Amino acid sequence: MTTIQAEAARQISSETAQRVAFLNRGPRAFHVVLAQQFDRAKIESLCTLSEMLRTIAATRAGAQFLQTLLPYRRAMLYFRQPSTRTFLSFTAACQVLGMPYNSVRERFTSSEVKGESEEDTIRVLSQYHDIIIMRHPAEGFAEHMAHVLARMGREVPVINAGSGRDQHPTQALLDIYTLFRCFSPPARGGIESAYASNPFAGKTIAFVGDLQRGRTVRSLAYLLCRYEGVKLLFVSPPELQIGQDILDHVERQGIEHEVSFDLAQCVERCDGLYITRLQDEWDVAGESKSIDYSRFHLTFEMAPRFKPTLAILHPLPRRSELDERIDRLPQAKYWEQVRNGMWMRAALMSHIFQVDDAVRDHFRQYYTY
Ligand code: CP
């Protein structure tokens, strides 16, 4: 690394540290905007909490207990882009914790059609709610609104549920939780220690598809860089390569990595395959039409070359990049991944509202053997 590169890296680290310091409150996340807010201790704590929540919720008495945790808080889901999983898993997570919620999804049903700005809309929403979960096409909008609310003296937590092409940190948390459960399933009675290990050392995780515009990949790459010994493969058409900022970050963290334009060559050495669809909603002039995406489809014909322990993940929705016949293979983990999202998002809100100790105490009292 040259002196100039070292200085640039130092500036990036210092700028990110300042952003993270604003978003976190000491060891806790307050706003959730960047995957870089989550170190191994936080990831471990949230995965353990997710595991406890799903265990407690499996009994009627446990589910009733969880619903006593947050009935005095209200959540707002402000979604400016389409969503099935993120929206509904957050609403389901609110229900798990007994927290009422409201939503604004369509501009034409809000006073934005009368000319009210998005900023003013969110200022208003913050008056009625204790947390705002936000999906927005503009990168940085959630972080900007966190600052706006702080300046007006109504600082409620802002959760980034997808920001432009930049980040989707809550998806990355559920993704890493899913990978943990695949590589190192928690043993009965061993939940409290299951997520302290590093099951990623020596594992090769491939990100496949439209890596340039896929925000879930970017956020998960940041989280995986917390685990030394992992190897990351970025497999995409040349036109849709992962951003240089992510490659620089991976490099700075000393994580082994490789860029490839050939999925067929990579399949058999993968322990994790994270497939993504073509994100053509971001096209400016139909440029995706000229890209041969079929070479980045995971086909059923490739299955004999999969490791038996391979974990195939997809943030969904899928198109034809993931053959439906793969659904019946034991390597297909994407439906579990969807369900894990509800528990991880419930864990995150328990953490933010500081009822996580009540969950841990309840688990230790009633669910350890
Ligand atoms: N994975 C994901 O963000 O899905 P939705 O767009 O359906 O929320």
Side-chain angles (χ1 to χ4, degrees):
M1 199 185 268
T2 65
T3 315
I4 294 171
Q5 285 170 327
E7 176 55 19
R10 196 196 57 72
Q11 278 179 12
I12 290 167
S13 305
S14 148
E15 189 199 319
T16 305
Q18 280 178 24
R19 293 170 73 192
V20 166
F22 168 74
L23 299 167
N24 284 348
R25 298 291 181 271
R28 281 181 187 272
F30 180 76
H31 303 292
V32 175
V33 171
L34 305 172
Q36 299 96 303
Q37 287 176 252
F38 296 91
D39 56 15
R40 270 177 68 168
K42 282 199 193 68
I43 295 168
E44 177 197 341
S45 168
L46 288 169
C47 289
T48 306
L49 203 53
S50 302
E51 208 60 45
M52 289 178 175
L53 285 165
R54 77 194 305 151
T55 306
I56 296 171
T59 65
R60 177 189 284 260
Q64 284 171 341
F65 159 74
L66 294 176
Q67 285 177 5
T68 66
L69 290 174
L70 288 173
Y72 58 102
R73 302 286 194 184
R74 273 185 302 279
M76 162 50 58
L77 287 92
Y78 179 81
F79 272 56
R80 273 284 167 265
Q81 286 181 298
S83 169
T84 299
R85 280 146 289 271
T86 312
F87 183 87
L88 289 173
S89 61
F90 265 115
T91 59
C94 288
Q95 288 161 340
V96 167
L97 299 171
M99 179 162 52
Y101 64 86
N102 293 303
S103 65
V104 173
R105 301 191 77 174
E106 302 290 352
R107 195 170 177 274
F108 63 82
T109 59
S110 91
S111 284
E112 285 178 22
V113 285
K114 301 179 214 164
E116 188 161 46
S117 68
E118 290 181 328
E119 281 194 14
D120 273 359
T121 300
I122 292 165
R123 285 186 180 101
V124 170
L125 300 178
S126 75
Q127 304 301 316
Y128 309 137
H129 300 91
D130 304 293
I131 184 168
I132 302 182
I133 300 154
M134 190 182 299
R135 173 170 286 194
H136 198 277
E139 289 168 22
F141 186 73
E143 188 170 7
H144 169 68
M145 285 315 306
H147 284 279
V148 167
L149 296 181
R151 282 197 294 274
M152 77 178 284
R154 176 67 187 156
E155 192 174 25
V156 300
V158 174
I159 310 292
N160 172 6
S163 54
R165 288 165 290 185
D166 182 32
Q167 286 233 17
H168 195 347
T170 67
Q171 174 76 39
L173 288 167
L174 75 90
D175 292 339
I176 204 159
Y177 175 45
T178 305
L179 288 170
F180 253 111
R181 294 187 103 238
C182 294
F183 296 154
S184 175
R188 192 179 167 87
I191 288 176
E192 299 234 30
S193 57
Y195 300 98
S197 62
N198 174 5
F200 304 106
K203 297 274 196 310
T204 297
I205 315 287
F207 294 105
V208 181
D210 186 346
L211 307 187
Q212 193 179 83
R213 305 178 291 188
R215 56 196 175 195
T216 67
V217 167
R218 294 172 55 80
S219 291
L220 182 55
Y222 279 119
L223 294 192
L224 285 170
C225 282
R226 298 288 189 181
Y227 294 87
E228 64 275 5
V230 70
K231 177 169 182 176
L232 302 182
L233 286 182
F234 297 102
V235 188
S236 69
E239 303 90 330
L240 299 173
Q241 269 192 67
I242 190 78
Q244 190 59 44
D245 59 332
I246 296 291
L247 291 176
D248 289 345
H249 179 80
V250 171
E251 183 77 36
R252 282 196 300 277
Q253 302 304 309
I255 298 294
E256 198 182 341
H257 60 284
E258 199 178 310
V259 170
S260 167
F261 306 125
D262 191 342
L263 174 60
Q265 289 265 310
C266 301
V267 160
E268 56 205 11
R269 56 191 170 118
C270 293
D271 299 289
L273 268 168
Y274 192 94
I275 315 295
T276 63
R277 73 177 166 85
L278 186 66
Q279 313 269 323
D280 49 8
E281 67 270 35
W282 297 107
D283 278 7
V284 177
E287 53 272 27
S288 293
K289 291 191 178 70
S290 61
I291 296 171
D292 180 8
Y293 206 71
S294 64
R295 292 187 302 115
F296 301 89
H297 288 187
L298 195 67
T299 65
F300 193 64
E301 288 66 36
M302 293 173 176
R305 294 166 52 212
F306 293 165
K307 287 187 183 179
T309 52
L310 172 68
I312 301 171
L313 274 64
H314 192 312
L316 304 175
R318 74 167 151 197
R319 295 181 187 162
S320 44
E321 70 282 349
L322 178 55
D323 193 320
E324 285 190 19
R325 291 171 295 170
I326 290 177
D327 292 8
R328 59 176 183 259
L329 301 180
Q331 290 96 339
K333 303 296 183 189
Y334 28 94
W335 305 124
E336 293 170 39
Q337 185 186 359
V338 171
R339 187 160 173 79
N340 290 340
M342 175 175 67
W343 302 120
M344 177 51 78
R345 286 168 173 137
L348 196 57
M349 290 192 288
S350 309
H351 168 89
I352 289 168
F353 287 123
Q354 302 190 25
V355 294
D356 48 334
D357 280 342
V359 175
R360 283 188 202 94
D361 290 347
H362 189 87
F363 179 84
R364 287 171 188 146
Q365 190 171 357
Y366 297 107
Y367 296 87
T368 48
Y369 309 97

